Amino acid sequence: MDQNAIISKIEQLTRNLSNKNEILLETCKILQNEVAHYDWVGFYMLDETEKMLLLGPYVGKTTEHTLIPIGKGVCGQVAENKKTMIVQDVSKMENYIACSLEVQSEIVIPILKNGNFVAEIDIDSHAFAPFGNNDQHLLEKVANILSQLF
Ligand code: SME
């Protein structure tokens, strides 16, 4: 499925479903099914009072990282900097929270609402250096569509 088809499928979800977590979970499923190098796809949500990220809907292996402090790991850094981060080789990354030994690379895309960080899309890959401009472009579009849910 090409990028436009993925985008329109996700747009359809936002029109046809009313429950936020259901839309987020279905989005995870679409992304994981349609892109071969997306092995774990999930959302982390900002808990502003606790200054933490809370694990939201996801697909892939169960993770014990249900709470991540802002600033910690790739996820925590994206929450702070509000910019997409691509880590092509997680073994080279110092501020990194390992989820599973199979994971080689990761992309995290912030979801912004009126310029404020509200959540993020986190994708792990078992492939080495698989992420390119295409992924960033697709996922930033998806983040933009989903920001209306927050
Ligand atoms: N690797 C992430 C932690 C979340 S898991 O990938 C699900 C990080 O360094 O922030």
Side-chain angles (χ1 to χ4, degrees):
M1 196 183 278
D2 71 14
Q3 289 213 355
N4 288 337
I6 295 176
I7 292 293
S8 67
K9 235 179 157 180
I10 293 171
E11 278 171 340
Q12 264 176 37
L13 287 178
T14 63
R15 282 194 296 270
N16 298 340
L17 300 174
S18 54
N19 180 282
K20 177 167 112 185
N21 279 346
E22 204 182 339
I23 295 170
L24 296 180
L25 181 62
E26 291 306 312
T27 299
C28 292
K29 290 184 191 165
I30 291 171
L31 290 173
Q32 193 202 38
N33 283 337
E34 298 301 336
V35 185
H37 56 283
Y38 295 178
D39 292 296
W40 189 97
V41 181
F43 290 87
Y44 281 95
M45 322 288 195
L46 177 66
D47 180 335
E48 217 163 341
T49 46
E50 301 294 333
K51 297 271 176 277
M52 286 279 190
L53 293 170
L54 303 179
L55 180 62
Y58 70 94
V59 293
K61 265 198 182 164
T62 309
T63 175
E64 59 186 30
H65 301 119
T66 53
L67 262 182
I68 297 178
I70 304 298
K72 212 168 166 247
V74 185
C75 291
Q77 292 176 71
V78 169
E80 220 166 41
N81 302 330
K82 302 196 281 187
K83 294 245 159 50
T84 295
M85 260 181 90
I86 293 177
V87 182
Q88 302 283 27
D89 179 359
V90 297
S91 72
K92 300 256 161 66
M93 181 88 191
E94 272 179 28
N95 188 0
Y96 173 71
I97 305 165
C99 268
S100 117
L101 291 175
E102 291 162 299
V103 175
Q104 296 215 56
S105 52
E106 177 160 1
I107 183 169
V108 181
I109 307 90
I111 299 176
L112 305 179
K113 178 94 186 178
N114 304 323
N116 297 316
F117 175 88
V118 288
E120 63 191 23
I121 309 170
D122 179 17
I123 299 181
D124 288 341
S125 179
H126 299 168
F128 175 74
F131 299 115
N133 288 341
N134 273 355
D135 298 279
Q136 183 162 354
H137 185 72
L138 166 69
L139 296 166
E140 287 180 352
K141 267 193 179 167
V142 172
N144 196 34
I145 295 165
L146 297 176
S147 77
Q148 63 182 283
L149 303 173
F150 292 84

